[in-house]
């Protein structure tokens, strides 16, 4: 299963297809923000090598996402790359995934219905103030397609500005769709089209 989305280029910078120098600054900023959030959640202080680590990860990230072949798409906020990182994934709905989803903590039961033209009815969860003050605010959009779990997760670096991003995240979530593989007659080539 491959995912595609129409992220507004005025608001979002794609990390997924940004190989080499293209998007390097945004990749590094997004990874630095995520590493910083992970450190603060674990109570660790930033180490001297953290900036180098973010640079190394920023070089490897596009290649890893390219290998994921459309199952992972990532964007950063264009005006401030360290403000928010949004990532959409497609995961096969195995029995283990269903069990893990059913066993999520009570905090994740506070979802609301979210409608998408392409993926149908899903769930939206917005957590502006997590239980732990060191945890970042986040939003999650989830659709169960029957065979896969499609999830958009956005993590924000600032509690104060998180609420201003929800409208843009809703638009991004509504643009996500699955690219179906259609064979063209007897030709061995595969044509990828979005669902009608």
């Amino acid at each position: 299963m491959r995912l595609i989305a129409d992220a507004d280029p005025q608001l979002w910078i794609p990390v997924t297809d940004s190989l080499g120098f293209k998007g390097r600054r945004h990749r590094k900023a997004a990874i630095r923000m995520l590493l910083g959030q992970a450190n603060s959640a674990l109570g660790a202080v930033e180490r001297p090598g953290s900036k180098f680590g973010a640079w190394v990860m920023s070089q490897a990230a596009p290649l890893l996402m390219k290998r994921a072949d459309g199952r992972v798409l990532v964007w950063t906020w264009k005006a401030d790359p360290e403000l928010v990182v949004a990532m959409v994934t497609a995961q096969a709905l195995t029995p283990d995934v269903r069990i893990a989803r059913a066993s999520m903590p009570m905090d994740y039961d506070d979802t609301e219905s979210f409608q998408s033209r392409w993926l149908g009815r899903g769930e939206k969860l917005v957590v502006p103030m997590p239980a732990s003050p060191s945890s970042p605010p986040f939003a999650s959009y989830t659709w169960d397609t029957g065979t896969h779990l499609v999830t958009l997760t956005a993590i924000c670096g600032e509690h104060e500005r998180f609420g201003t991003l929800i409208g843009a995240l809703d638009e991004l979530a509504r643009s996500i769709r699955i690219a179906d593989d259609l064979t063209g007659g007897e030709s061995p080539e595969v044509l990828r089209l979005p669902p009608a």
Side-chain angles (χ1 to χ4, degrees):
M1 171 183 279
R2 295 181 72 253
L3 298 168
I4 52 177
D6 299 321
D8 184 346
Q10 300 299 317
L11 301 177
W12 301 100
I13 294 286
V15 174
T16 313
D17 296 321
S18 60
L19 291 169
F21 288 109
K22 181 182 173 193
R24 181 180 58 169
R25 182 175 70 87
H26 287 81
R27 277 198 316 270
K28 280 171 45 181
I31 291 168
R32 196 167 44 246
M33 187 271 276
L34 293 173
L35 288 175
Q37 293 294 345
N39 281 339
S40 65
L42 297 171
V45 294
E46 186 176 6
R47 298 196 252 330
S50 295
K51 289 183 180 177
F52 178 73
W55 178 82
V56 170
M57 290 176 69
S58 76
Q59 301 307 303
L63 297 173
L64 294 173
M65 286 185 278
K66 193 171 182 75
R67 287 188 65 192
D69 192 29
R71 294 186 308 273
V72 177
L73 302 174
V74 182
W75 302 268
T76 62
W77 194 245
K78 185 174 184 178
D80 184 357
E82 292 190 43
L83 178 62
V84 66
V85 177
M87 178 172 69
V88 61
T89 60
Q91 185 178 19
L93 268 173
T94 63
D96 290 340
V97 170
R98 289 186 186 278
I99 290 169
R101 188 158 159 70
S103 306
M104 291 177 83
M106 292 291 287
D107 302 350
Y108 294 90
D109 286 345
D110 195 18
T111 60
E112 58 185 83
S113 182
F114 185 80
Q115 186 68 33
S116 163
R117 173 183 172 195
W118 307 104
L119 298 173
R121 187 167 303 283
E123 295 177 346
K124 172 182 171 182
L125 174 67
V126 177
V127 182
M129 296 298 285
S132 168
S134 61
S135 298
F138 69 93
S140 177
Y141 302 77
T142 309
W143 296 269
D144 182 341
T145 68
T147 59
H148 286 76
L149 193 66
V150 177
T151 307
L152 170 67
T153 305
I155 299 175
C156 185
E158 296 181 25
H159 290 272
E160 300 80 21
R161 295 172 62 189
F162 180 62
T164 64
L165 302 169
I166 298 301
L169 289 170
D170 285 353
E171 284 182 35
L172 178 61
R174 287 191 180 96
S175 76
I176 299 166
R177 54 196 185 278
I178 298 165
D180 290 332
D181 288 350
L182 299 175
T183 54
E186 296 180 11
S187 168
E189 295 179 3
V190 174
L191 177 64
R192 297 189 189 279
L193 295 174

